[in-house]
Amino acid sequence: MEYKYELTIDKLLQSGVSSNPDQIINYTGKREFTFKDFSKRVNTLAKALISIGVKKGDRVAVIDWDTYVYLEAYFAVPMVDAVLHTVNVRYPQDLIYYTMDHAEDKYVIVRDEFVPILSKNREAFYFIKGWIVYSETGQIPDSLSPKYVYDDLMKESYSDIELPQLSENDLATTFYTSGTTGIPKGVQFTHRQIVLHSISSGLALADDPINLTSRDVIMPLVPMFHVHAWGVPYMSIMSGRRYVLPGRYDFDHIIDLIDKYNVSVIAMVPSILYLIVTNPNVKKIAGRGIKAIVGGGALPEGLANAAEKLGITAISGYGLSETAPILTLATYNERVKAMPESEKKKFRLKTGIPIPLVQLRVVDDKMNDVPKDEKTIGEIVVRAPWLTSVYVKNKEGTEALWRGDWMHTGDLAVMDEYGYIRIVDREKDAVKSGGEFIPSLVLEDAISSCSGVVENAVVGRPDEKWGERPVAFYTGTAKPDEIRKHLIEMVNAGRIAKFWIPDDFINIKEFAKTSTGKIDKKVLREMIKK
């Protein structure tokens, strides 16, 4: 009978090991593994998970920085036919709990420094069957139970355990996005989707001006809890490229890592690029010809120019949590390649062109394609083989996302005659700061509970460093310092994150309203432009 080749995550690992067994994975300068040794560790972890009771379909959460443990979980958890849940550690405690409960997590791999946060509300996590704790210091907290020690599990042989046969249509990953207003929504992806995304993004990055080759050294500065770190771990391991893990972000140390290991390709949101190019030690890596993929927000021209002066070529990329994530990259198509270098630069700043297998349109409210005149605004709608099929346990949201059999991104854009899109606005009201969404409805709800606040609305104001920062408008008698103090109390209670607190609180007499009685945020955005 014909053998059915399943597109599963273990094949990505096998591909990298078979072609480049001696290639290196470096963890923040502390530890190194060859691909061959890394593969053995992944297989050991996978069998360890089975030994403690992890079964097909179980959600296994990871709470960690960008470490070798996280990278091992990226492969091992899906390889036992379980589902990897990458928990957003930047969420406040309430949302961490909400997403873990909503996902129905069964087991958790957690770094020691996060244990105290979880231990405070241990009773609330009644649904967790096992906590797998690891520590780089060897000091393992005892406050979670039942507890397994990661390093102890990795010392066993598990010779009697076999890994399951996988189907490419089995779920592999899940995580939550606060990209739209309100409570985070769960998305999920199959093995097949992740494999196809890895292949397509690798093909796209091989084009000008990134020109990704086997000689490149990659260090993604995208948190591993965030949309598969843009798929870079899977794509990089599959293609056998040297990989550097930064751990918890320390920008002096990151520049040292780039310098020491000759990192040639980095990926990040604009605020991270800003922190690199403005770091006092950045001259150590100037003139290296580093290439940067910048997503999660528009790439400002001034920031791109500052990077270029240091020999860093930056291009834009675009995607969503719902899209695994890459949809477009500002690489050069054949028409742009033929242009003078001075002309090419403006295309690097655009949102880009679709990567292979992505069907992308910019449409009006009747689903007609807008003219390619770089003036007519429409919504970006997409199809690709790696888009989430649902919002988890959210039928209404899923129907809105997929209305008309196209995924509706909620992002507004124009398209030029060369097929490049440029996002000009968002339908959604979330503020995106440092690559992380601040859900405006949640923040507005927090502000509304302050005594003396009658009505309030939060909008984003462009910020050179962070991309956007929130500004709060309100009516009532409360003073800005009173609202700020109230929000600090909510931070301390784990209700909101500290970086959500608006930079400014503007008291107004009344809000302009839409025809349906809602606060008109377009008016507020115009006010802060003045």
Side-chain angles (χ1 to χ4, degrees), residues 181-338:
T181 55
I183 295 298
K185 297 182 177 68
V187 295
Q188 58 189 29
F189 302 91
T190 66
H191 284 259
R192 181 177 187 272
Q193 289 177 311
I194 290 171
V195 171
L196 290 174
H197 181 273
S198 301
I199 295 169
S200 186
S201 58
L203 286 171
L205 289 169
D207 218 333
D208 294 341
I210 299 299
N211 294 314
L212 192 64
T213 73
S214 60
R215 295 183 297 275
D216 281 304
V217 180
I218 298 177
M219 182 170 68
L221 297 174
V222 182
M224 295 184 77
F225 63 74
H226 187 57
V227 204
H228 309 128
W230 295 356
V232 177
Y234 292 124
M235 183 270 294
S236 301
I237 300 299
M238 172 192 72
S239 52
R241 295 183 174 91
R242 182 160 183 159
Y243 193 92
V244 180
L245 287 154
R248 185 172 185 173
Y249 295 177
D250 174 326
F251 289 94
D252 286 338
H253 186 53
I254 281 170
I255 287 174
D256 288 341
L257 291 173
I258 294 172
D259 178 36
K260 182 176 181 179
Y261 297 106
N262 295 311
V263 173
S264 56
V265 177
I266 49 181
M268 73 213 79
V269 298
S271 59
I272 299 295
L273 181 59
Y274 177 90
L275 291 170
I276 289 175
V277 301
T278 58
N279 188 285
N281 298 318
V282 74
K283 291 182 180 179
K284 293 173 64 173
I285 60 172
R288 299 284 188 89
I290 295 169
K291 297 161 283 188
I293 303 133
V294 182
L299 173 59
E301 184 175 0
L303 181 56
N305 290 339
E308 192 170 14
K309 289 178 181 177
L310 296 165
I312 301 173
T313 300
I315 72 163
S316 294
Y318 166 63
L320 311 170
S321 294
E322 293 87 343
T323 65
I326 303 177
L327 294 173
T328 72
L329 288 168
T331 51
Y332 303 152
N333 63 19
E334 291 303 310
R335 296 172 72 185
V336 174
K337 287 178 185 177

Side-chain angles (χ1 to χ4, degrees), residues 517-529:
K518 296 180 180 179
I519 294 174
D520 191 344
K521 291 191 174 183
K522 294 191 299 296
V523 174
L524 303 180
R525 293 189 182 99
E526 287 299 318
M527 290 172 63
I528 57 177
K529 284 181 181 179

Side-chain angles (χ1 to χ4, degrees), residues 59-134:
R59 273 54 175 171
V60 180
V62 180
I63 302 176
D64 196 3
W65 306 116
D66 293 7
T67 71
Y68 69 95
V69 170
Y70 217 142
L71 189 62
E72 288 166 358
Y74 256 50
F75 290 89
V77 173
M79 282 170 55
V80 300
D81 223 354
V83 181
L84 176 73
H85 176 197
T86 53
V87 177
N88 188 335
V89 298
R90 293 180 183 168
Y91 278 153
Q93 295 170 35
D94 278 10
L95 287 187
I96 288 175
Y97 168 78
Y98 168 81
T99 56
M100 293 176 67
D101 182 35
H102 192 268
E104 301 181 26
D105 291 339
K106 294 291 190 294
Y107 296 85
V108 185
I109 299 172
V110 57
R111 186 178 176 89
D112 55 357
E113 63 192 270
F114 295 104
V115 170
I117 299 172
L118 301 169
S119 300
K120 286 182 180 179
N121 300 291
R122 174 64 189 92
E123 295 76 13
F125 290 98
Y126 64 90
F127 47 87
I128 300 300
K129 293 183 176 180
W131 302 88
I132 305 164
V133 184
Y134 89 97

Side-chain angles (χ1 to χ4, degrees), residues 428-497:
K428 45 204 172 192
D429 290 326
V431 179
K432 201 165 194 180
S433 184
E436 294 293 318
F437 281 108
I438 300 174
S440 60
L441 286 183
V442 178
L443 181 54
E444 287 164 2
D445 185 61
I447 295 171
S448 70
S449 64
C450 178
S451 177
V453 172
V454 179
E455 286 186 300
N456 80 93
V458 173
V459 296
R461 177 166 59 196
D463 184 272
E464 182 181 0
K465 181 177 181 180
W466 300 111
E468 284 185 330
R469 288 296 300 150
V471 175
F473 289 84
Y474 71 99
T475 58
T477 58
K479 304 295 183 184
D481 286 347
E482 294 171 343
I483 304 175
R484 188 173 285 107
K485 181 180 178 182
H486 173 76
L487 294 180
I488 287 291
E489 292 173 354
M490 300 194 79
V491 170
N492 294 335
R495 297 289 303 280
I496 64 171

